[in-house]
Amino acid sequence: MKILLAEDQAMVRTALASLMQLETDYEVDEASDGREAKEKLQRNTYDVLLTDIEMPHLSGLELVQWVKQAQPDVRCVIMTTFNRAGYIKRAIDAGVNGFLLKDAPIKVLISSLQQVIAGQQVISNELLMQAIGHQDPLTERERQALRLAGEGLSTQVIAQKLFIAEGTARNYLSEAISKMHASNRVEAARIAHQKGWL
């Protein structure tokens, strides 16, 4: 069994990889962010991708979406410290095979991986309860525009990055601000991020 572990916090990644190798006969390869994980997936064959959500360059959710398109045989498990309803909904929509909390004991992680490898979907009950009743109101384009606005980019730059007219970018942002019941784009981005919708 070959696992790719994508986690940007070096101490967490190394500890987790060591624990998995101690407890199982799995071969564990490591990636320090989403981009490196994608490159390794393109060069090697893995059975399971075990990934954090919030990473530089490419988030765990974006990585899972790519894997499900490019390598549908690879099982994808997300682990997170963030108990955000929006993340869970988006992960399930992306076709994730497992969604676990990082603070779960190693035995739970390994048991969940075994279930995923056997073809089951494993979602932490605590995370599932959070997800019920929390609908993500943003469209994909509004999410992209709001994410860029949260990085402090101007409407003009956002429009260029999304290959849309400046007026269209402004419309996406005003819709997102309205849906978040926020007074401006920065506050809207903060609220959406807290809920796991960005």
Side-chain angles (χ1 to χ4, degrees), residues 140-189:
E140 193 54 40
R141 282 308 229 175
E142 287 164 0
R143 186 181 350 277
Q144 290 168 342
L146 199 54
R147 189 181 292 133
L148 293 169
E151 292 171 13
L153 301 181
S154 69
T155 308
Q156 184 182 5
V157 175
I158 291 169
Q160 288 167 353
K161 282 189 172 286
L162 296 180
F163 304 103
I164 55 176
E166 200 171 329
T168 307
R170 200 172 291 111
N171 289 343
Y172 286 144
L173 288 169
S174 63
E175 277 296 311
I177 291 165
S178 166
K179 287 175 179 178
M180 293 299 106
H181 306 288
S183 54
N184 59 52
R185 60 176 68 185
V186 174
E187 186 189 1

Side-chain angles (χ1 to χ4, degrees), residues 93-107:
D93 288 347
V96 81
N97 303 97
F99 200 108
L100 312 166
L101 282 170
K102 270 189 201 171
D103 58 6
I106 190 70
K107 301 271 189 214

Side-chain angles (χ1 to χ4, degrees), residues 24 26 105-117 122:
T24 68
Y26 299 163
I106 190 70
K107 301 271 189 214
V108 171
L109 172 63
I110 288 163
S111 152
S112 300
L113 285 174
Q114 287 165 343
Q115 290 172 283
V116 163
I117 289 157
V122 181

Side-chain angles (χ1 to χ4, degrees), residues 13-41:
R13 185 178 68 249
T14 308
L16 203 49
S18 301
L19 279 169
M20 281 196 289
Q21 286 169 326
L22 275 173
E23 297 280 335
T24 68
D25 58 356
Y26 299 163
E27 185 184 333
V28 182
D29 199 359
E30 299 175 37
S32 60
D33 61 42
R35 187 188 296 156
E36 187 186 346
K38 184 177 174 181
E39 287 166 2
K40 287 194 171 193
L41 282 155

Side-chain angles (χ1 to χ4, degrees), residues 80-99:
T80 185
T81 49
F82 302 105
N83 198 347
R84 294 180 181 153
Y87 280 161
I88 302 146
K89 174 83 171 65
R90 286 169 59 206
I92 291 169
D93 288 347
V96 81
N97 303 97
F99 200 108

